[in-house]
Amino acid sequence: MSLTVRPVMGRRAKISALGTYVPPDVITNQDLEKMVETSDQWITERTGIKTRHKLAAGLGVSDMCTEAAKRCLAARGIPASDVEAILVGTVTPDMMYPSTACLVQDKIGAAGAWGFDVSAGCSGFVFALQAGAKFIESGAHNMVLICGADANTRMTDYTDRTTCVLFGDGAGAVLLEPCEPGEIGFIDFVHEVDGSGGVSLNMPGGGSLNPSTHETVDKKMHYIHQDGPAVFKFAVRKMAETTVKVLERNGLTGADLGCFIPHQANKRIITATADRLGMPEDRVIINIEKYGNTSSGSIPLAMQSALDEGKLKKNDLVLLGAMGAGFTVGAALLRWEI
Ligand SMILES: CC(C)(COP(=O)(O)OP(=O)(O)OC[C@H]1O[C@@H](n2cnc3c(N)ncnc32)[C@H](O)[C@@H]1OP(=O)(O)O)[C@@H](O)C(=O)NCCC(=O)NCCS
């Protein structure tokens, strides 16, 4: 492997800690069989999902972020007052405003921090990572908290079998800091959007175009609307394209990676991307069977699975890949420094 680290003006940024949270309540495929015309066999074969977690009533996505953030800060052993900025990738905020970042800032007691939400569908976490890394690299900040979290079950129509089997709730948080001498941290990012794909995956109600009314609710416009096969085709094509691009322009191949940590939307999308990368199955992190698609929560949750399974170790080269509503697509290449 010849790793030519792309130059970064000023400093380099790294992930220095991880914390995750999934709510305890679980929806099984058997539960879904009682709600819609589906089967454990269909869901397992077509998506790879067995269970997904569901946030309890009375809680919002900010509560999941808060729990993940507290675990992340505890893992690093620092108080919340050290955090300078909070970026939250989410498309299921507690409410239109204030932002989830503001709610989390208050709930964790990060008195000196500012922050904002990043709306990029399931790519929210990787988009926020790049923004946070740039704050560190530019010298603007020394301690940035990135949360990726979604409470998709809140936006899911449990009479629509084409979407309700897919989504779950979960959250993760990472801390970004400057690299120490000898560390590499973030190497490169490739991010794209294709707004023409917005028609294939959206939640049309409740915004300025279609503010909530009895009519928008009757028409189920407050739920996830999706053309599954169109999203599937885009995901398979673009996740491969962007992950290969970020490797190639850094002189790497899948063989150089410790592991590939993809967004968990559908097991078939993950294995198609991994095949294109030439990654053997044991170095591809898949936990979709437990959590379903948790949108911006999925990559940090998969990082946690990789650590728990001993598949992610200090100094490993790691590739992240995501796609989501928008369409959005993103890849990040980094060396794991924890
Ligand atoms: C949604 C998805 C699983 C559907 O799988 P698919 O193989 O594309 O299946 P299709 O939509 O072509 O449907 C095939 C058949 O299964 C049926 N079907 C759909 N959902 C079903 C379910 N939960 N149980 C049983 N049958 C189902 C369809 O009605 C269709 O029946 P028909 O042939 O009689 O019309 C798949 O398209 C997908 O994962 N898309 C990407 C979604 C995604 O990742 N979204 C988030 C992006 S971040």
Side-chain angles (χ1 to χ4, degrees):
M1 170 185 69
S2 65
L3 174 60
T4 320
V5 177
R6 284 166 71 81
V8 170
M9 297 293 285
R11 311 187 296 177
R12 304 195 67 86
K14 66 172 180 180
I15 292 176
S16 60
L18 169 71
T20 58
Y21 176 78
V22 281
D25 293 347
V26 169
I27 304 173
T28 65
N29 288 352
Q30 288 70 28
D31 293 332
L32 290 164
E33 283 173 350
K34 292 174 199 143
M35 300 180 205
V36 289
E37 200 184 327
T38 190
S39 66
D40 174 46
Q41 189 188 354
W42 191 97
I43 301 170
T44 307
E45 283 177 10
R46 304 309 293 164
T47 72
I49 302 165
K50 285 287 191 187
T51 57
R52 61 295 281 149
H53 289 248
K54 181 179 166 60
L55 185 63
L59 297 174
V61 90
S62 70
D63 296 299
M64 293 197 296
C65 288
T66 296
E67 216 32 63
K70 283 181 178 170
R71 291 175 186 185
C72 178
L73 297 176
R76 180 66 180 83
I78 59 157
S81 53
D82 285 359
V83 174
E84 296 164 31
I86 302 171
L87 276 55
V88 180
T90 190
V91 282
T92 53
D94 286 24
M95 57 194 90
M96 291 284 281
Y97 58 85
S99 70
T100 313
C102 292
L103 300 174
V104 173
Q105 181 266 345
D106 181 47
K107 287 180 183 183
I108 65 173
W114 73 292
F116 53 90
D117 289 2
V118 175
S119 174
C122 301
S123 306
F125 179 74
V126 285
F127 278 28
L129 267 189
Q130 177 164 20
K134 297 304 164 197
F135 286 145
I136 301 286
E137 289 166 7
S138 68
H141 292 303
N142 289 316
M143 197 74 81
V144 177
L145 184 72
I146 307 290
C147 299
D150 274 295
N152 289 316
T153 64
R154 292 289 202 269
M155 318 297 170
T156 297
D157 176 2
Y158 285 96
T159 66
D160 173 10
R161 69 176 182 173
T162 69
T163 54
C164 75
V165 301
L166 301 173
F167 294 99
D169 303 338
V174 294
L175 205 56
L176 306 188
E177 292 183 57
C179 283
E180 298 292 338
E183 294 180 333
I184 293 176
F186 290 104
I187 297 165
D188 203 0
F189 296 89
V190 170
H191 289 153
E192 290 176 23
V193 304
D194 177 358
S196 70
V199 290
S200 299
L201 180 53
N202 54 50
M203 204 197 82
S208 56
L209 180 62
N210 298 299
S212 303
T213 60
H214 289 292
E215 193 191 353
T216 64
V217 173
D218 289 345
K219 289 182 172 168
K220 302 189 173 191
M221 291 168 74
H222 55 299
Y223 289 136
I224 298 165
H225 290 242
Q226 174 173 260
D227 175 350
V231 177
F232 189 91
K233 274 188 217 135
F234 178 87
V236 166
R237 182 167 60 85
K238 290 304 276 190
M239 275 193 56
E241 237 176 74
T242 45
T243 50
V244 167
K245 184 173 177 181
V246 79
L247 288 184
E248 279 183 358
R249 75 182 192 186
N250 288 280
L252 300 170
T253 70
D256 300 313
L257 298 174
C259 63
F260 171 44
I261 305 182
H263 169 51
Q264 313 280 311
N266 184 314
K267 194 173 177 183
R268 292 184 290 138
I269 297 172
I270 296 173
T271 50
T273 311
D275 284 351
R276 180 70 181 77
L277 289 166
M279 291 288 296
E281 209 174 287
D282 63 328
R283 289 192 284 123
V284 179
I285 310 307
I286 303 180
N287 65 8
I288 192 169
E289 67 281 359
K290 280 197 283 189
Y291 304 126
N293 181 348
T294 57
S295 294
S296 283
S298 82
I299 288 182
L301 285 172
M303 285 175 172
Q304 187 66 60
S305 295
L307 288 170
D308 294 346
E309 293 164 17
K311 292 180 176 175
L312 177 56
K313 298 176 293 298
K314 189 174 167 63
N315 293 339
D316 277 352
L317 280 182
V318 180
L319 175 65
L320 313 179
M323 75 76 54
F327 290 131
T328 59
V329 58
L333 181 63
L334 63 144
R335 197 173 77 164
W336 194 255
E337 305 290 358
I338 308 173

